[in-house]
């Protein structure tokens, strides 16, 4: 399917998506850094988690979400999901050449600079670890350091359910942290945008000496840079709005906004997939 050229306009919004509520960790940083910009956030909760899906499926979902956000006036698309970035970022850039994209890859580069003992633990999904982006980053920056990959099945579902501190979540978390700590990791990279919501629990489990890296501030800075380079930054004094969409259940999304962002009465709407097309 070809796509009519939609040229991004400075009056547009920042479009952002994730498989679910994880990308809200990025949304929080972007809203804090760019308070004058409007935000459209899509949580594809109907397909969460992405981590166990095929690359082809994640590409198709990412394309459908991108089309929806462009039609709704997005001027940049922030792929606030390591998994979707791994599977779909280069495909999205090829498919929508006029549109600026900001994507992400686990923060191995800063972790390698920070580790004292030369052991870095990375927590992410199988799709993220299997992607070329990750391979390149480890190859390029990981020399001389042991970079250990740890998948964390079940953790995203806990965060989606709002179970950040329950005994089950803590036990699951411990089972993923123990092998990393046992191997001597002194630096942890949270390579999934859901995991920053577990930082208080992770900190308690790993103690103060372990460094925890998550990328939301860096993504917010990159979004500002990309908008600036393209002349797409909003004018000061713009009336910024934030709209949140979910392909799942709107009350659950509203609950997540309260719990994760402290946002009461967030503007939440439900979207539906119909034959690969996303709409209201
Ligand atoms: N928040 C996501 C990521 O950054 C998605 C995880 C998933 O849906 O499996 O990888």
């Amino acid at each position: 399917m070809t796509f009519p050229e939609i040229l991004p306009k400075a009056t547009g919004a920042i479009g952002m998506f994730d498989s679910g509520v994880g990308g809200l960790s990025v949304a929080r940083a972007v809203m804090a850094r760019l308070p004058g910009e409007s935000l459209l956030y899509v949580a594809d909760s109907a397909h969460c988690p992405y981590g166990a899906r095929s690359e082809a499926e994640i590409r198709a979902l990412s394309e459908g979400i991108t089309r929806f956000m462009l039609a709704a006036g997005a001027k940049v698309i922030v792929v606030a999901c390591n998994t979707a970035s791994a599977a779909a970022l280069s495909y999205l850039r090829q498919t929508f050449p006029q549109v600026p994209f900001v994507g992400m890859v686990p923060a191995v580069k800063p972790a390698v600079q920070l580790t004292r003992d030369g052991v870095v633990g990375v927590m992410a999904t199988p799709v993220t670890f299997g992607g070329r982006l990750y391979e390149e980053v480890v190859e390029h920056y990981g020399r001389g350091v042991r970079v250990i990959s740890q998948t964390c099945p079940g953790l995203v579902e806990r965060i989606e359910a709002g179970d950040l501190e329950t005994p089950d979540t803590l036990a699951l978390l411990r089972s993923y942290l123990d092998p990393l700590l046992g191997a001597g990791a002194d630096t942890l990279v949270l390579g999934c945008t859901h995991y920053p919501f577990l930082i208080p629990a992770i900190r308690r489990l790993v103690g103060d000496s372990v460094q925890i890296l998550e990328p939301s501030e860096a993504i917010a800075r990159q979004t500002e840079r990309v908008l600036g380079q393209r002349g797409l930054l909003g004018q000061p004094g713009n009336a910024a709005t934030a709209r949140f969409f979910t392909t799942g259940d709107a009350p659950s999304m509203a609950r997540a906004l309260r719990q994760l962002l402290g946002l009461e009465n967030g503007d939440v709407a439900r979207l539906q997939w119909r034959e690969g097309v996303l709409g209201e």
Side-chain angles (χ1 to χ4, degrees), residues 18-20 22-23 48-52 80-84 125 128 156 191-194:
D18 178 49
S19 64
C48 188
Y50 275 8
C81 175
N82 290 266
T83 307
T125 68
T128 298
V156 163
C192 167
T193 51
H194 280 75

